[in-house]
Amino acid sequence: MKKSILKLGVFALFMLAFNVVSAQSTADVAKTAEAVRVIDNKGTIKYFQSNNGITQIVNTTNDVTTTTWQLGGTLTDNTYIDASGAEFGITGIEETTLDAATIVDGTGTGYTLLVTNEETGEIQKLLATDLISSGQETLDAAGTETTITATGMPANASQVWVYRNGAKLVAGLDYTVTAELVTLVPQTTANRDWTIMAGDFFEVHWIK
């Protein structure tokens, strides 16, 4: 019996240490009604209990002397795992695909992606629609326009494509980009010259 009690004590001590390290907290935790009483090899009565993301299950039918600690539960403190110099991963995750019917749309359905905040290390959720977004804007020219407003368009010319009557214009030469605004720059150099004419149809496509 003493051997079994000692094994239980060692295991419980490990779980307690795990909780303290993971939680990054040294605050005292009051003994709860579910605390497990054990006796160490010196006869000292001690108590062990789960906390901060670890669930404690006390059998109430068979093996009523058995208490189980298992992964899963409510985090009560900020918790960090330092994986410096080591690999950390989870295997066996079910693979899925994203399509128009399942991408989260802000109504609480579909999928989100887990990302890490580089500044704090916190794991956060990101809407699948916010990972990559795109859009387009069109303009039927009257012959005088030099700008096209495209709501939501980034200020990076490498993410913006502009077409005049189906022909692609050259970024940085035929047009420049600022946030949500394309400025058309007609050229006068031979072989690259063009001008805005009434009836021209411009398309702006962007991705970010």
Side-chain angles (χ1 to χ4, degrees):
M1 177 63 70
K2 178 182 284 189
K3 187 175 182 180
S4 297
I5 292 176
L6 288 176
K7 286 183 176 179
L8 176 61
V10 170
F11 174 76
L13 184 61
F14 167 78
M15 294 305 299
L16 182 65
F18 174 81
N19 283 333
V20 171
V21 172
S22 297
Q24 308 291 305
S25 174
T26 58
D28 289 343
V29 178
K31 180 169 67 68
T32 67
E34 293 78 20
V36 177
R37 185 175 69 174
V38 298
I39 302 175
D40 67 12
N41 59 342
K42 298 294 184 179
T44 303
I45 296 176
K46 297 181 179 180
Y47 295 87
F48 294 98
Q49 61 192 23
S50 65
N51 187 38
N52 196 37
I54 301 297
T55 298
Q56 177 178 315
I57 301 174
V58 179
N59 284 9
T60 57
T61 53
N62 299 325
D63 300 322
V64 293
T65 59
T66 301
T67 298
T68 302
W69 283 275
Q70 69 179 24
L71 185 64
T74 301
L75 290 181
T76 57
D77 297 282
N78 294 336
T79 302
Y80 297 92
I81 298 175
D82 186 355
S84 300
E87 293 183 4
F88 178 78
I90 300 175
T91 61
I93 301 297
E94 180 182 0
E95 182 178 349
T96 188
T97 58
L98 297 178
D99 55 50
T102 57
I103 290 179
V104 70
D105 56 8
T107 63
T109 60
Y111 294 100
T112 57
L113 306 174
L114 292 183
V115 296
T116 302
N117 186 314
E118 284 294 305
E119 182 177 353
T120 65
E122 180 183 2
I123 296 176
Q124 299 173 323
K125 292 194 300 183
L126 176 70
L127 296 179
T129 50
D130 288 338
L131 179 64
I132 297 178
S133 59
S134 61
Q136 73 173 60
E137 189 64 58
T138 60
L139 172 68
D140 285 300
T144 58
E145 298 89 338
T146 57
T147 61
I148 304 173
T149 300
T151 302
M153 186 189 74
N156 189 337
S158 67
Q159 298 172 283
V160 178
W161 298 267
V162 180
Y163 299 84
R164 173 178 178 253
N165 300 323
K168 183 180 179 301
L169 299 180
V170 179
L173 179 67
D174 296 322
Y175 65 93
T176 60
V177 173
T178 56
E180 301 190 336
L181 186 69
V182 172
T183 300
L184 300 171
V185 185
Q187 298 296 305
T188 58
T189 303
N191 298 326
R192 290 187 176 181
D193 57 315
W194 65 279
T195 187
I196 301 174
M197 303 179 65
D200 279 348
F201 181 69
F202 290 91
E203 298 174 79
V204 178
H205 296 267
W206 55 265
I207 188 170
K208 67 176 181 179

